[in-house]
C-alpha cells in the first residue's frame, strides 16, 4: 500500500508565477490536510478537505492560495503570484475518515514527504 | 485557540544515554490527543508516539515513553538508550477529538546524538 505521494518534491518559481502542488492520499483515504513549514519552524495547518468539499480553511491565507480535492485525481494546493515569503515546505497528510472518540487507529494522519517551494 | 510550546530549541545527548524533551500546551478541552513526531533530515514526518488524554497510563513505544501530566498540561518525551538514528527535529502536537481535526504543532526541538 503506497504511502501519501506528493509531487513535485522540489519546485522553483519566480516571483509572480503560479505554483501547483499535488497530493495523492493513501489508498482508501478520503480526507486530506495541507500544512506549511517555514524554515526553522513547526508545521502550520492550512486547510482540510474531503472529496469535493473544503471542511476547514481557517489556516489558509485570504489571498492567492486555494485548494481542491476533486472526486477523481489528487488534491491540489495552488498559489498564485508567488512571493518570496511563500518559500517553505508544504506537507500533505491523509486519513481514512473522521476521527472517532476512543478509536485511535482510524484518525491518524499519514504524512507525505513534502514539497519544498523556492521562490526566486 | 489551542497552543503548543516547546521551550527547548536544541538538545544533545550522548549515545546510549537518556534524554527528555519538554512540551506544554494550552486548551480548554477535556478530551484530546497528543503526539510526538520525528522529522529527520529527509523531512518526512514520522509519528513516534500518541497519548489519549482520557487515559491515565503514559504511552510507551519501545525506547520512547511519555510523561503526561494533564493538570499541568505537560507532555514530555523520554528517549532511552539514545541511538544515532534518533537525531532529528522532534515536534509535539495536539489535536481535538471533536470538531476540528487539524494538528497544532509546537516549534520543535532539534536533538543531536553525540557518539
Amino acid at each position: 500500500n503506497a504511502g501519501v505521494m506528493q509531487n513535485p518534491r522540489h519546485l522553483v518559481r519566480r516571483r509572480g508565477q503560479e505554483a501547483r502542488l499535488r497530493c495523492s492520499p493513501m489508498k482508501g483515504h478520503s480526507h486530506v490536510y495541507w500544512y506549511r513549514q517555514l524554515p526553522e519552524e513547526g508545521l502550520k495547518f492550512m486547510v482540510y478537505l474531503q472529496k469535493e468539499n473544503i471542511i476547514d480553511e481557517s489556516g489558509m491565507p485570504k489571498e492567492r492560495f486555494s485548494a481542491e480535492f476533486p472526486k477523481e485525481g489528487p488534491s491540489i494546493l495552488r498559489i498564485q503570484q508567488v512571493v518570496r515569503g511563500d518559500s517553505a515546505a508544504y506537507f500533505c497528510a491523509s486519513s481514512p475518515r473522521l476521527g472517532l472518540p476512543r478509536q485511535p487507529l482510524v484518525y491518524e494522519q499519514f504524512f507525505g514527504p513534502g514539497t519544498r517551494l523556492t521562490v526566486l | 485557540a489551542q497552543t503548543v510550546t516547546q521551550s527547548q530549541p536544541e538538545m544533545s545527548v550522548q549515545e546510549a544515554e537518556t534524554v527528555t524533551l519538554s512540551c506544554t500546551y494550552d486548551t480548554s478541552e477535556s478530551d484530546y490527543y497528543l503526539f510526538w513526531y520525528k522529522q529527520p533530515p529527509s523531512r518526512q514526518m514520522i509519528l513516534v508516539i500518541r497519548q489519549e488524554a482520557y487515559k491515565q497510563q503514559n504511552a510507551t513505544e519501545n525506547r520512547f515513553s511519555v510523561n503526561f501530566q494533564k493538570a499541568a498540561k505537560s507532555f514530555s518525551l523520554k528517549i532511552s538508550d539514545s541511538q544515532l538514528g534518533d537525531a532529528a527535529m522532534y515536534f509535539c502536537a495536539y489535536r481535538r477529538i471533536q470538531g476540528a481535526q487539524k494538528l497544532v504543532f509546537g516549534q520543535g526541538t532539534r536533538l543531536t546524538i553525540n557518539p
Side-chain angles (χ1 to χ4, degrees):
Chain A
N1 188 12
V4 179
M5 309 287 285
Q6 289 189 250
N7 67 80
R9 293 293 307 276
H10 301 274
L11 182 62
V12 179
R13 286 287 178 267
R14 297 190 180 280
R15 282 179 295 171
Q17 292 183 320
E18 177 180 287
R20 280 182 177 245
L21 288 61
R22 294 175 182 75
C23 169
S24 297
M26 288 180 69
K27 186 177 180 180
H29 288 193
S30 57
H31 297 245
V32 165
Y33 312 79
W34 285 94
Y35 295 85
R36 176 165 64 175
Q37 185 178 29
L38 295 171
E40 304 304 317
E41 293 188 12
L43 280 69
K44 296 286 197 302
F45 168 79
M46 299 181 75
V47 63
Y48 164 37
L49 310 102
Q50 294 177 30
K51 289 279 188 181
E52 300 183 285
N53 280 305
I54 296 175
I55 306 303
D56 179 359
E57 55 182 348
S58 59
M60 286 281 269
K62 298 300 180 189
E63 298 177 349
R64 302 187 298 107
F65 285 72
S66 62
E68 62 176 6
F69 189 17
K71 186 176 180 180
E72 301 291 337
S75 175
I76 306 287
L77 179 67
R78 182 183 178 203
I79 311 172
Q80 295 178 291
Q81 299 177 314
V82 296
V83 300
R84 289 217 173 106
D86 296 333
S87 294
Y90 291 82
F91 288 90
C92 167
S94 71
S95 68
R97 55 180 165 145
L98 278 178
L100 301 176
R102 293 159 179 77
Q103 293 186 32
L105 290 180
V106 303
Y107 70 84
E108 181 176 341
Q109 294 181 22
F110 295 83
F111 282 83
T115 294
R116 181 179 289 278
L117 172 65
T118 301
V119 180
L120 301 177
Chain B
Q2 294 82 20
T3 59
V4 177
T5 302
Q6 294 177 249
S7 58
Q8 306 157 314
E10 296 182 355
M11 292 283 285
S12 63
V13 64
Q14 290 294 127
E15 192 176 3
E17 297 293 308
T18 295
V19 64
T20 299
L21 308 183
S22 301
C23 173
T24 59
Y25 58 94
D26 187 27
T27 182
S28 58
E29 305 280 330
S30 60
D31 213 358
Y32 45 86
Y33 299 114
L34 294 165
F35 307 84
W36 279 97
Y37 280 88
K38 171 184 178 181
Q39 187 180 44
S42 66
R43 295 205 324 269
Q44 178 73 52
M45 294 293 287
I46 302 166
L47 178 64
V48 174
I49 200 165
R50 168 182 54 232
Q51 175 78 43
E52 291 85 355
Y54 60 85
K55 289 185 178 178
Q56 293 186 335
Q57 186 173 6
N58 289 322
T60 299
E61 287 288 339
N62 300 314
R63 297 183 295 106
F64 298 86
S65 62
V66 299
N67 183 4
F68 174 47
Q69 301 290 327
K70 191 173 184 179
K73 296 181 181 174
S74 170
F75 182 60
S76 60
L77 175 69
K78 185 171 82 171
I79 307 174
S80 304
D81 185 25
S82 298
Q83 301 175 0
L84 294 178
D86 295 333
M89 285 290 290
Y90 285 82
F91 293 98
C92 178
Y94 166 100
R95 177 176 172 172
R96 295 176 66 190
I97 286 185
Q98 301 292 346
Q101 300 289 306
K102 63 185 179 184
L103 289 163
V104 179
F105 287 89
Q107 308 92 316
T109 296
R110 183 178 303 281
L111 178 64
T112 302
I113 311 295
N114 300 314

